[in-house]
Amino acid sequence: MSEVIWEELYEKLPTAIEQRDERFAMFDSFDPNGNGILSLAEVDKGIRDILGIDELFDSKPAIMRAFQAAKACGKPSKGREDIGDDYIEKLEFRRLLLGLRMYFEFWVAFKRIDGDDDRRLSFDEFSSAEETIKKWVTNLGDMQEEFDKIDSNDGGMILFDEFCKWAILKTLDLEDDDE
């Protein structure tokens, strides 16, 4: 992940409240069969074909986290209870777009620390990035204690979903994302 495309991301994700019409039109373009719901596969395809942001499309863990978070925020609309909670409806789409922006930022941070590119962080990788992490979060405690808090499954490695939970609690903010 060489140069991150923050400007393009801000420009193409209609997340502002006043961008509702634009967002609903985007939802419709993501929904090829017109059934009013989006599966993860449709979201993935929409990111590739409609948004055309390769860096985001290649960030599958960020897409998955954003999709899971958006669908967890609501329950199916009245009369749509039969669809279950495996889909995103139009009114959840803004949450998805906001989640894509946030989890993409977390993915960029995670990748900057993940020296061996194995999609998990060892203590050595985490602790050697201490000065960098201090630019992103406030109140960074002892690195071993922080690592142990983040590694909630006690697997000895920090996984992306664990990192995201910690990043949210710490209000992680990359220094180069201009927001």
Side-chain angles (χ1 to χ4, degrees), residues 49-161:
D49 298 346
I50 310 300
L51 292 177
I53 304 174
D54 292 339
E55 293 85 349
L56 181 58
F57 178 72
D58 293 338
S59 303
K60 300 298 185 211
I63 295 169
M64 175 61 89
R65 293 273 68 77
F67 186 84
Q68 297 297 331
K71 71 184 186 115
C73 286
K75 57 184 179 185
S77 302
K78 191 172 185 176
R80 303 289 311 246
E81 294 86 2
D82 60 317
I83 68 166
D85 58 358
D86 293 330
Y87 301 93
I88 300 290
E89 292 187 68
K90 194 172 273 192
L91 292 177
E92 297 167 320
F93 193 60
R94 180 171 182 256
R95 288 187 181 125
L96 173 72
L97 297 178
L98 288 166
L100 285 172
R101 168 61 189 84
M102 179 179 75
Y103 287 109
F104 179 72
E105 181 176 4
F106 295 165
W107 181 245
V108 170
F110 188 85
K111 295 293 286 176
R112 288 179 182 173
I113 300 170
D114 185 14
D116 60 7
D117 202 30
D118 65 351
R119 294 188 173 199
R120 50 194 195 149
L121 303 177
S122 66
F123 176 70
D124 288 341
E125 289 171 317
F126 184 72
S127 61
S128 67
E130 181 175 6
E131 291 308 310
T132 300
I133 296 169
K134 283 180 178 177
K135 295 175 188 174
W136 304 337
V137 302
T138 56
N139 302 324
L140 185 66
D142 173 76
M143 292 305 279
Q144 185 66 58
E145 289 176 16
E146 290 288 339
F147 184 89
D148 292 342
K149 277 191 260 181
I150 301 168
D151 180 22
S152 61
N153 71 355
D154 296 324
M157 299 289 235
I158 297 173
L159 305 176
F160 182 61
D161 66 323

Side-chain angles (χ1 to χ4, degrees), residues 1-7 9 55 104 108 112 174 176:
M1 201 167 277
S2 51
E3 187 175 319
V4 183
I5 38 68
W6 299 117
E7 284 296 320
L9 197 62
E55 293 85 349
F104 179 72
V108 170
R112 288 179 182 173
L174 291 179
D176 63 345

